[in-house]
Amino acid sequence: ALWSGLAAMASAWLARRGIPVGLSFPLAWTLIEAGKAAGVLGFPWGSIGYAMADTPHIIQFASLTGLWGVTLWVLLVNGAVHAYLDLPWAVPKASALIVLALLFGAPFTHGRYVLEHKPPRPAVRVGLIQPNTDKDKWTSDVRGDVLDDLLAHTRFLAEAEADQLPVLMVWPETAVPAFLPREVEQLARVRGLVDSMGVALLTGYPDGTLREDRSWRVTNSAGLFLPGRGRVAQYDKRHLVPFSEYMPLPILDLFDFGQSSFSPGTVSGVMDAFDPPFGVLICFESIFPGPSRDLAQNGARFLVNITNDQWFGDSAAPVQHLRMNVLRVIENRMGMARAANTGISAILDPYGFLTRTSVTFEPVRFAGPVELSRGTTFYTRHGDWILWVAGVLLGGMFLWACRRPR
């Protein structure tokens, strides 16, 4: 709540010195919202730009500005409404109406043009497995059944899609309740499935390496298996969830809050052993603009998001988590395949439209085409330039206001 208070305080201070709230507040809020999402404690959940994820035809300009540009636009629209209601009649009120019309019209026009002139795109067929595994999968008497279920779902999907066999199957985050690279029997069964199908597999699992002091370094990982080659690549989740996957303050590890003790990875999640290369986002990473942009810059042609949203239960959160990915695909103009343990699994096109989705808390398996990128977007190349513009404008307002009496 203090973040919101900072934006309100800044715009109120400026308003007392003649700066319109309808202009200062959108700039201040956008910068504050971006600050709230930065660093190891960053948390952009609920950012205003995500409110527009249900209307991708309006926010195609996110390929230019990213999430924060959408947030700023929503706030500027509200600022124009405020100005219209606050200003006196005649010229000032008419000016506010003109600005409001431009703010509404520009994204609609741009979005319509982009969608009417979509170029043809190559695509790869991807299969998604949503096993709906319960949280007791980590108990010793259930672990084998969990893997049996994953193998069966994947074989059924491969048989059902025999005429258009997917080139990649995807299991969710920590789908395999085992240190898969370290457990010979489980690893052999996964490799056997991949070899028998002749289809690549991406799956999530925990992994661990033994340090010199005999303690374990545990990671939340995703491994790529190729037919005849076994595990050819692994990505260790880099942006961990604070207070859940690790404790930002080491002293808190002395207490058991039910948290995990994962260590962050250090390398990019681009799977370039697969053709075409794709980028992996594990759960929480997909709500931030940065990781997806990094993957696009490093050669990914499409995105794969694996997650386990079981902890959210029957709430709005699984829908919100899915919708945040709408911004990721528009920002970088590439398709995404999303496999979630209990849902929502989905395929998104490069323009933010959901082409396939699943229901929650039911076992689901399906396949579909995932469209590839055709080069990098302006946002991919230049990043959050809109924040620099907002910062310069707001800084200029403060300098100007400092020279005026209250």
Side-chain angles (χ1 to χ4, degrees):
L2 293 177
W3 289 99
S4 305
L6 284 174
M9 184 172 64
S11 57
W13 187 89
L14 289 171
R16 296 189 187 103
R17 289 155 181 83
I19 303 294
V21 173
L23 183 57
S24 63
F25 185 79
L27 295 171
W29 184 284
T30 301
L31 291 168
I32 290 294
E33 202 169 77
K36 186 176 69 171
V40 294
L41 297 181
F43 194 63
W45 202 291
S47 294
I48 286 179
Y50 286 134
M52 302 303 299
D54 279 340
T55 54
H57 58 285
I58 302 176
I59 58 170
Q60 293 302 312
F61 66 91
S63 65
L64 305 172
T65 68
L67 167 66
W68 309 124
V70 179
T71 291
L72 181 59
W73 169 71
V74 172
L75 291 163
L76 286 172
V77 168
N78 283 271
V81 172
H82 176 272
Y84 174 79
L85 296 174
D86 191 53
L87 291 169
W89 284 102
V91 176
K93 220 170 184 68
S95 300
L97 278 177
I98 293 171
V99 171
L100 187 60
L102 291 173
L103 286 170
F104 265 116
F108 275 97
T109 304
H110 175 263
R112 182 172 181 176
Y113 177 85
V114 168
L115 296 176
E116 287 181 352
H117 294 82
K118 293 191 295 185
R121 292 175 178 271
V124 293
R125 193 164 183 81
V126 178
L128 302 176
I129 305 299
Q130 179 179 304
N132 194 38
T133 306
D134 199 4
K135 61 185 176 183
D136 65 355
K137 67 182 181 180
W138 301 102
T139 58
S140 58
D141 57 338
V142 175
R143 293 170 70 224
D145 295 335
V146 172
L147 184 56
D148 287 341
D149 191 48
L150 288 164
L151 297 174
H153 276 299
T154 309
R155 289 193 183 98
F156 285 142
L157 181 58
E159 292 171 3
E161 299 285 333
D163 294 338
Q164 288 183 298
L165 191 65
V167 296
L168 175 67
M169 297 286 190
V170 182
W171 294 354
E173 176 190 20
T174 58
V176 182
F179 281 45
L180 189 58
R182 320 291 163 188
E183 302 192 29
V184 177
E185 182 180 349
Q186 307 265 37
L187 182 62
R189 297 182 69 192
V190 172
R191 291 190 60 173
L193 171 74
V194 172
D195 292 343
S196 64
M197 291 191 308
V199 175
L201 170 70
L202 180 80
T203 180
Y205 51 80
D207 193 16
T209 55
L210 199 60
R211 299 187 180 99
E212 291 183 1
D213 62 359
R214 308 304 294 173
S215 65
W216 281 92
R217 180 183 182 274
V218 183
T219 55
N220 185 349
S221 304
L224 175 65
F225 293 79
L226 296 182
R229 297 176 58 187
R231 184 174 63 105
V232 296
Q234 177 171 301
Y235 168 63
D236 301 330
K237 185 177 181 182
R238 291 191 290 178
H239 200 135
L240 299 173
V241 183
F243 306 105
S244 174
E245 292 182 314
Y246 81 107
M247 283 297 183
L249 299 175
I251 191 173
L252 294 177
D253 281 323
L254 299 174
F255 304 94
D256 182 8
F257 299 105
Q259 76 275 11
S260 301
S261 296
F262 288 123
S263 297
T266 57
V267 298
S268 169
V270 175
M271 297 292 179
D272 51 13
F274 186 86
D275 186 26
F278 65 90
V280 179
L281 299 164
I282 299 180
C283 190
F284 187 63
E285 294 178 319
S286 71
I287 75 175
F288 296 90
S292 299
R293 177 174 171 250
D294 177 65
L295 293 170
Q297 288 178 317
N298 283 283
R301 299 287 307 282
F302 67 101
L303 298 171
V304 175
N305 176 216
I306 60 173
T307 187
N308 179 14
D309 288 352
Q310 178 193 46
W311 323 107
F312 294 139
D314 186 20
S315 68
V319 179
Q320 294 168 345
H321 197 188
L322 168 66
R323 290 294 180 177
M324 294 180 194
N325 290 292
V326 170
L327 272 295
R328 302 294 86 80
V329 296
I330 297 176
E331 286 167 347
N332 301 288
R333 201 64 83 195
M334 59 176 64
M336 173 186 285
R338 185 177 197 263
N341 175 31
T342 55
I344 303 169
S345 301
I347 295 176
L348 297 86
D349 75 7
Y351 299 89
F353 293 92
L354 298 166
T355 60
R356 290 290 301 269
T357 59
S358 71
V359 295
T360 54
F361 294 98
E362 288 185 16
V364 177
R365 52 183 182 265
F366 62 84
V370 179
E371 296 182 51
L372 309 180
S373 64
R374 299 179 75 253
T376 56
T377 64
F378 185 88
Y379 175 76
T380 302
R381 294 190 299 273
H382 300 285
D384 295 317
W385 60 272
I386 198 75
L387 296 179
W388 290 99
V389 173
V392 169
L393 291 175
L394 191 64
M397 290 178 186
F398 271 102
L399 291 175
W400 187 82
C402 286
R403 303 180 63 177
R404 290 175 58 85
R406 176 167 172 169

